[in-house]
Amino acid sequence: MIRILLAEDDQAMRTYLARALENAGYDVVAVDRGTQALPHLESDSFDLLLSDIVMPEMDGIELAQRCAKIAPATKVMFITGFAAVSLRASREAPQAKVLSKPFHLRDIVLEVQRMFGLSEHVQI
């Protein structure tokens, strides 16, 4: 089973994303900030880090950079509602996929499936 570490500071968005990904068959650990994600990366194994970019204490880009050192095999996908931040993410973490808000929950599940080469049949 694909394991996803979700870092999203907005509680409603975090809940919706986690539920959609779990309903699609993924194992999801959800936290509300990058500093809470780090201990999980250090002690556990994840296939994907799905992170908002703009968060308190540690932004998603710094989290992704630290993830690359701690768990280099972990793929990264960013979610953001800020176009300028999206450009920065593409520049500073070029291997990461960036998904801009707003998006449908189906879209994020499809993107995760594409990242892992899975069939694009979505159940949410």
Side-chain angles (χ1 to χ4, degrees):
M1 177 180 286
I2 292 174
R3 299 198 71 226
I4 299 173
L5 178 57
L6 170 63
E8 167 61 66
D9 62 319
D10 181 272
Q11 182 180 353
M13 178 67 76
R14 186 173 61 252
T15 300
Y16 291 132
L17 288 172
R19 187 174 302 141
L21 292 164
E22 287 167 349
N23 287 343
Y26 300 108
D27 180 25
V28 179
V29 173
V31 297
D32 71 353
R33 60 192 67 225
T35 52
Q36 287 187 347
L38 282 178
H40 290 283
L41 286 170
E42 292 168 345
S43 66
D44 228 334
S45 176
F46 293 93
D47 301 292
L48 174 65
L49 169 63
L50 176 58
S51 179
D52 190 3
I53 295 176
V54 179
M55 294 184 292
E57 296 177 15
M58 176 188 299
D59 69 21
I61 295 171
E62 182 181 350
L63 176 59
Q65 290 168 338
R66 293 178 99 183
C67 176
K69 292 177 183 167
I70 296 167
T74 302
K75 296 179 186 222
V76 176
M77 183 187 302
F78 292 122
I79 48 178
T80 187
F82 301 95
V85 173
S86 178
L87 292 173
R88 179 177 159 232
S90 296
R91 187 175 58 251
E92 294 184 28
Q95 74 287 0
K97 170 78 178 155
V98 180
L99 194 60
S100 296
K101 296 175 187 174
F103 52 78
H104 189 280
L105 292 176
R106 178 185 185 96
D107 297 332
I108 198 143
V109 172
L110 281 170
E111 285 300 325
V112 171
Q113 289 175 328
R114 284 186 197 120
M115 286 185 91
F116 292 98
L118 303 173
S119 82
E120 296 185 7
H121 177 69
V122 177
Q123 293 181 4
I124 297 180

